[in-house]
Amino acid sequence: MAVYTDITENDLRNFLSEYDVGELTSYKGIAEGVENSNFLLHTTKDPLILTLYEKRVDAGDLPFFLGLMQHLAQKGLNCPLPLPRHDGKICGELSGRPAALISFLEGMWLRKPEAQHCHAVGVALAQMHLAARDFSITRRNALSVNGWQELWAKAAPRADEVLPGLQQEIGAELDYLVSHWPQDLPQGVIHADLFQDNVFFLSDRLSGLIDFYFACNDLLAYDVSICLNAWCFQPDGAYNFAKGSALLAGYQSVRPLNADEIAALPVLCRGSALRFFLTRLYDWLTTPEGALVVKKDPIEYLRKSRFHRAIEAASEYGLEPAA
Ligand SMILES: Nc1ncnc2c1ncn2[C@@H]1O[C@H](COP(=O)(O)OP(=O)(O)O)[C@@H](O)[C@H]1O
Ligand SMILES: N[C@@H](CCOP(=O)(O)O)C(=O)O
């Protein structure tokens, strides 16, 4: 459960008095998510999500995140819409944290997605990339190669506590990525965390995307690699070629990858596997016992990283040859 900051009913009512959202009838902490504290609010009007932004979210980035959601929604993408306060601002403060109200999105995330869902995710990711092309604010990816090095510097001394030999293995992988990371691929705004829990479906239809709090400007194909890692492996760790193929075909049906992006896919997948390994490892080592959050397993992403190191060409991910 991710509720790091608790709120009192009184403070919440004061916070809500800045908005035109009706009267609060109930609220509860949401037992999902890792990064921020989320609450589901019921009011005499529509249900709402209240988010209190926690450690990895810099308050200075909120205009980017919340503005991006507004921009994407205006372009027809189904994502939560931040609500404006009476003074026009879309962010306030609650229990000492920056806080915002966003619209409630109907749908459920899929525990066992199939290839058809992966296809829909590929389509939605490419649509997001295109819809964000004229978004005017930019944000550097704080969790790209430099950010990985910073995280690793903090986690490396204790890495072998998690698995003997990790310090040597990850050090070598990071060195490889630093010297092979692609620079000249198409860039734009990426979601950067489009995992299963951030994509809602109603029945088999994709109904919306949430959680734009890692979004940033980076290589568009890197976002594809994040989705391959998040959506296309089986619980036993095996890569699912049919899902990978479907996700890539869905993406390419909206935004075809160019030859350089295709050639770079294996190294991008190595990078995104390492990125999630490192944040999970850091959290694994630093989250206090008893915190109300389910820690995610770094070793899942170590296995994915190893898998990608053995890949020689993007076709092994299920990429259809160009027509
Ligand atoms: N706009 C929304 N509509 C409906 N549910 C939401 C919405 N935003 C968040 N949630 C719920 O809260 C959970 C955690 O949200 P998320 O943004 O992923 O948190 P975190 O940033 O902490 O990872 C989601 O899995 C979902 O259940
Ligand atoms: N997707 C990341 C963790 C971030 O969690 P989210 O709830 O914000 O998606 C991971 O799996 O490591």
Side-chain angles (χ1 to χ4, degrees):
M1 165 145 180
V3 174
Y4 300 94
T5 305
D6 224 338
I7 55 175
T8 66
E9 185 178 334
N10 224 3
D11 287 350
L12 177 57
R13 286 190 188 279
N14 278 337
F15 177 83
L16 294 180
S17 67
E18 303 288 337
Y19 294 83
D20 181 20
V21 292
E23 281 297 307
L24 180 72
T25 54
S26 69
Y27 71 97
K28 63 173 184 192
I30 295 181
E32 272 171 343
V34 169
E35 298 295 338
N36 299 310
S37 299
N38 288 292
F39 298 83
L40 172 61
L41 313 187
H42 288 287
T43 70
T44 44
K45 293 188 175 175
D46 295 324
L48 296 167
I49 298 289
L50 164 70
T51 303
L52 274 59
Y53 298 98
E54 304 285 352
K55 61 176 180 178
R56 279 206 187 98
V57 177
D58 179 341
D61 286 331
L62 288 172
F64 175 89
F65 300 134
L66 298 170
L68 177 63
M69 289 193 247
Q70 286 179 316
H71 179 90
L72 295 174
Q74 271 164 14
K75 295 267 170 169
L77 205 101
N78 212 3
C79 67
L81 201 55
L83 272 68
R85 306 185 337 161
H86 296 307
D87 63 5
K89 293 186 182 153
I90 49 176
C91 190
E93 195 182 294
L94 182 54
S95 295
R97 310 286 330 163
L101 284 181
I102 59 173
S103 57
F104 179 85
L105 215 65
E106 295 293 343
M108 307 264 286
W109 69 269
L110 299 175
R111 268 68 180 172
K112 291 185 180 167
E114 291 168 11
Q116 55 168 318
H117 307 116
C118 296
H119 186 276
V121 169
V123 169
L125 183 73
Q127 286 171 339
M128 194 221 110
H129 289 169
L130 297 189
R133 272 191 303 198
D134 55 349
F135 181 53
S136 57
I137 317 178
T138 58
R139 175 176 182 264
R140 181 184 76 85
N141 187 358
L143 283 175
S144 188
V145 184
N146 289 341
W148 306 342
Q149 289 173 304
E150 284 165 22
L151 271 176
W152 181 236
K154 291 183 204 153
R158 293 184 54 203
D160 283 8
E161 286 173 30
V162 177
L163 191 73
L166 214 44
Q167 199 175 105
Q168 198 279 329
E169 180 177 346
I170 297 303
E173 178 63 359
L174 196 49
D175 287 347
Y176 175 88
L177 289 169
V178 168
S179 56
H180 290 81
W181 197 242
Q183 304 293 338
D184 294 327
L185 302 178
Q187 304 217 4
V189 176
I190 66 167
H191 183 286
D193 188 28
L194 201 58
F195 277 55
Q196 281 157 235
D197 58 346
N198 292 331
V199 181
F200 285 2
F201 284 81
L202 278 169
S203 257
D204 279 333
R205 190 179 56 80
L206 192 153
S207 61
L209 310 181
I210 66 164
D211 199 359
F212 289 83
Y213 304 117
F214 284 115
C216 56
N217 292 74
D218 206 337
L219 309 176
L220 297 176
Y222 176 61
D223 224 7
V224 177
S225 79
I226 291 173
C227 288
L228 286 172
N229 270 312
W231 289 83
C232 303
F233 284 82
Q234 297 298 97
D236 67 3
Y239 182 72
N240 186 311
F241 191 84
K243 288 184 184 175
S245 189
L247 192 142
L248 289 163
Y251 186 86
Q252 299 225 88
S253 69
V254 178
R255 180 187 169 267
L257 296 163
N258 72 27
D260 291 337
E261 290 177 299
I262 290 172
L265 209 49
V267 73
L268 294 171
C269 285
R270 280 171 78 157
S272 51
L274 189 76
R275 175 258 180 264
F276 287 99
F277 167 80
L278 286 172
T279 45
R280 287 178 173 206
L281 177 70
Y282 180 80
D283 290 349
W284 194 265
L285 293 170
T286 57
T287 304
E289 287 308 318
L292 292 177
V293 62
V294 179
K295 292 198 279 187
K296 297 200 173 184
D297 180 12
I299 300 304
E300 179 190 343
Y301 271 79
L302 175 68
R303 292 201 188 98
K304 291 177 181 176
S305 162
R306 286 175 179 167
F307 170 83
H308 297 304
R309 282 178 241 163
I311 293 279
E312 288 179 359
S315 54
E316 294 174 58
Y317 293 119
L319 205 66
E320 302 281 341

